[in-house]
Amino acid sequence: MSELINNREVDVPEQTRRQAMLKEIIKELHAGKSVEEVKARFAEAVGDVTVAEISAMEHSLMTEEGIPVAEVQRLCSVHTAIFKGSIEQIHRSSKPEEQPGHPVHTFKLENREIERLVNFRLELHAGKFLKNDSEEIIFKLLEDLSLLLDLDKHYSRKENLLFPYLEKYGIYGPTKVMWGVDDGIRAMIKAAKAALSQYSGNKEEIGAQLAEIIKEVNEMIFKEENILLPMALDKLTEDEWVKIARESDEIGFCLTSPEQEWIPERAAEPEGAAVQEESAGESPQGFIRFETGLLSLHQLETVLNHLPVDLTFIDENDVVRYFSHGKERIFARTKAVIGRTVQNCHPPQSVHVVEKLLEDFKAGRKDAEDFWIAIKDKFIYIRYFAVRDEAGRYMGTLEFTQNIAPIRALEGQKRILSE
């Protein structure tokens, strides 16, 4: 947070005054006041500031004042409502982010498709549904919501690719807030789908759900394009954007995809540099001796990637150190998570589960914990193991994830080779 504030040369007493007013506003919201009732005071509190300053204040409210993420999310909705059309625009002399394939260009490209889906198709069908709740309209709404669930890829790229880089620059608050809102939108879409699938005449209730989805999705687009992305453009280097662009394919794209690979303009490399880079990209040489054998690094990595499970290892400080990358990973992982604390790899709503699990492992109360969930045609078995050395000291946690649907379907026996 201090890095953000110092960079903006904000007068400290003025900053303190603003934060004090913001805290009062949050208390008023918590006490039941509406967004409309506190708008005027909010505008007075923040005045003419940049998006980075707003984000720094949100960050401070969570880290220094201990205000829960959920309460700051409420504040986030307020400044979204107020600042539409008035947030300071950051003008750039050169704009690589406007080039096809740049992650910011792709996020905005997807947002245009999302807007078309929610503001035209979904809104049109929702309006018709309120007048005539026929099976045909219900089917169209289910189709719209299924398409809208593609948002998960857009949000996952933010959470797993962009957020780690912002955290590297000390920006944690806004990312946690936005992740929580993302999850809320995901849950609303799934709830509306479930309600329509089991429709029982509660037309007004479902109409309200659809209206809330349209509102929240539009507000998220505004927050991304006027707060998150300008802030990221201020912080991330060109190399970091290149890494995000290259890893985006692993998660996928929402409703559309980049027209081309983004290759930033750069001066020609010195003669011989390309050869050096190619050598650096090769698998490292050398062997690792185990108690029960000897493997080259290449053999070891290949073996791990051939296991029919996804492995992720975090060390004793909760930092993600490794994940396997087989052909069919169940949950998306990108290289950006390496070096990130596991708490920042989970949405705020589920962090307490992670914390409790690690606390039990570190205290020696548990050595393993299992979860299982059904997702579409997969039955996913997620296992966590405390990794300890010979003396019993905690070294970290291994996550072991496997789709066991084919195993659960086994019957009888098989004693001969498949054709």
Side-chain angles (χ1 to χ4, degrees):
M1 184 201 119
S2 57
E3 179 186 345
L4 275 172
I5 293 173
N6 289 340
N7 284 347
R8 288 294 180 189
E9 298 177 356
V10 176
D11 180 65
V12 174
E14 177 62 12
Q15 179 93 4
T16 304
R17 185 189 70 82
R18 286 172 177 164
Q19 288 186 7
M21 292 186 72
L22 283 169
K23 277 188 288 182
E24 287 303 314
I25 291 168
I26 288 175
K27 288 177 186 172
E28 289 176 6
L29 286 167
H30 192 63
K33 280 197 175 181
S34 68
V35 168
E36 288 302 319
E37 288 175 299
V38 301
K39 261 186 177 182
R41 276 176 54 74
F42 185 90
E44 183 188 349
V46 296
D48 185 20
V49 296
T50 66
V51 292
E53 286 167 352
I54 295 172
S55 299
M57 283 190 281
E58 287 182 354
H59 183 71
S60 168
L61 288 167
M62 285 186 283
T63 58
E64 296 178 9
E65 305 295 338
I67 295 175
V69 172
E71 288 300 303
V72 181
Q73 282 175 3
R74 199 197 294 252
L75 177 66
C76 189
S77 297
V78 179
H79 72 59
T80 298
I82 291 168
F83 278 112
K84 278 183 178 171
S86 63
I87 282 181
E88 175 194 343
Q89 296 298 312
I90 301 170
H91 300 286
R92 299 169 189 283
S93 54
S94 62
K95 295 184 176 178
E97 67 271 22
E98 292 184 359
Q99 297 167 6
H102 187 289
V104 171
H105 183 275
T106 305
F107 277 125
K108 290 184 176 179
L109 193 68
E110 289 176 322
N111 280 342
R112 301 294 80 79
E113 292 300 320
I114 296 165
E115 283 173 340
R116 284 190 194 94
L117 177 57
V118 297
N119 297 333
F120 292 94
R121 284 187 55 165
L122 184 58
E123 190 159 337
L124 174 70
H125 294 149
K128 286 185 177 180
F129 170 73
L130 289 173
K131 294 175 185 170
N132 173 19
D133 54 348
S134 65
E135 285 188 12
E136 183 188 359
I137 293 297
I138 290 173
F139 178 78
K140 286 181 177 176
L141 283 171
L142 283 169
E143 199 174 53
D144 294 342
L145 292 172
S146 294
L147 278 175
L148 192 54
L149 277 176
D150 216 30
L151 268 176
D152 182 61
K153 296 171 188 164
H154 181 95
Y155 292 167
S156 291
R157 292 207 318 283
K158 275 193 307 183
E159 295 153 359
N160 295 294
L161 286 173
L162 185 55
F163 288 178
Y165 284 107
L166 290 173
E167 289 160 7
K168 190 177 142 189
Y169 291 101
I171 300 171
Y172 293 93
T175 57
K176 286 183 180 176
V177 170
M178 189 167 279
W179 199 332
V181 179
D182 288 348
D183 274 352
I185 293 173
R186 288 175 171 118
M188 281 193 286
I189 297 170
K190 289 175 184 172
K193 267 194 81 178
L196 280 165
S197 299
Q198 303 168 351
Y199 183 57
S200 57
N202 51 337
K203 191 164 60 175
E204 299 300 327
E205 183 184 334
I206 292 178
Q209 283 180 291
L210 296 172
E212 187 67 11
I213 289 170
I214 293 169
K215 171 178 160 287
E216 289 294 326
V217 168
N218 276 303
E219 289 201 351
M220 178 53 72
I221 290 172
F222 180 83
K223 290 168 193 170
E224 287 177 1
E225 299 194 2
N226 292 278
I227 298 173
L228 178 72
L229 296 177
M231 181 168 59
L233 284 167
D234 256 6
K235 295 293 179 188
L236 271 60
T237 66
E238 187 175 80
D239 280 349
E240 289 166 339
W241 286 118
V242 169
K243 287 177 186 172
I244 291 174
R246 286 179 180 170
E247 294 193 12
S248 291
D249 276 343
E250 292 186 28
I251 295 176
F253 302 96
C254 168
L255 302 174
T256 184
S257 58
E259 300 161 16
Q260 61 187 61
E261 182 186 359
W262 174 58
I263 302 174
E265 292 181 11
R266 292 185 177 179
E269 293 180 341
E271 191 174 348
V275 175
Q276 289 172 12
E277 185 178 342
E278 187 177 339
S279 300
E282 291 177 355
S283 297
Q285 298 303 306
F287 292 84
I288 298 177
R289 183 176 295 282
F290 300 92
E291 280 190 13
T292 53
L294 184 74
L295 290 174
S296 72
L297 286 175
H298 186 216
Q299 286 173 327
L300 177 59
E301 182 166 34
T302 305
V303 167
L304 290 171
N305 290 338
H306 272 72
L307 294 176
V309 298
D310 293 348
L311 301 176
T312 302
F313 177 69
I314 63 169
D315 68 12
E316 70 277 17
N317 297 314
D318 306 340
V319 175
V320 180
R321 292 300 180 193
Y322 167 80
F323 65 86
S324 59
H325 52 107
K327 291 179 182 174
E328 296 181 2
R329 274 203 68 92
I330 296 170
F331 296 124
R333 291 274 189 278
T334 66
K335 293 173 187 171
V337 304
I338 302 297
R340 195 181 187 197
T341 61
V342 69
Q343 289 85 352
N344 286 323
C345 298
H346 288 77
Q349 291 89 336
S350 63
V351 166
H352 67 285
V353 178
V354 177
E355 295 277 19
K356 179 68 172 65
L357 178 65
L358 295 178
E359 191 181 300
D360 287 343
F361 281 1
K362 290 174 183 175
R365 290 190 289 270
K366 284 184 180 177
D367 285 321
E369 182 66 78
D370 299 341
F371 301 87
W372 48 92
I373 52 176
I375 300 179
K376 295 182 180 175
D377 60 341
K378 293 185 172 72
F379 194 90
I380 301 169
Y381 192 31
I382 309 166
R383 313 193 71 191
Y384 294 92
F385 301 96
V387 178
R388 306 187 194 281
D389 66 13
E390 298 79 0
R393 283 187 293 266
Y394 175 77
M395 296 174 64
T397 293
L398 179 68
E399 181 192 70
F400 179 104
T401 307
Q402 183 176 19
N403 173 22
I404 60 168
I407 299 173
R408 295 178 86 217
L410 291 177
E411 291 181 352
Q413 57 183 338
K414 178 177 184 291
R415 292 174 176 266
I416 58 174
L417 289 171
S418 301
E419 292 295 331

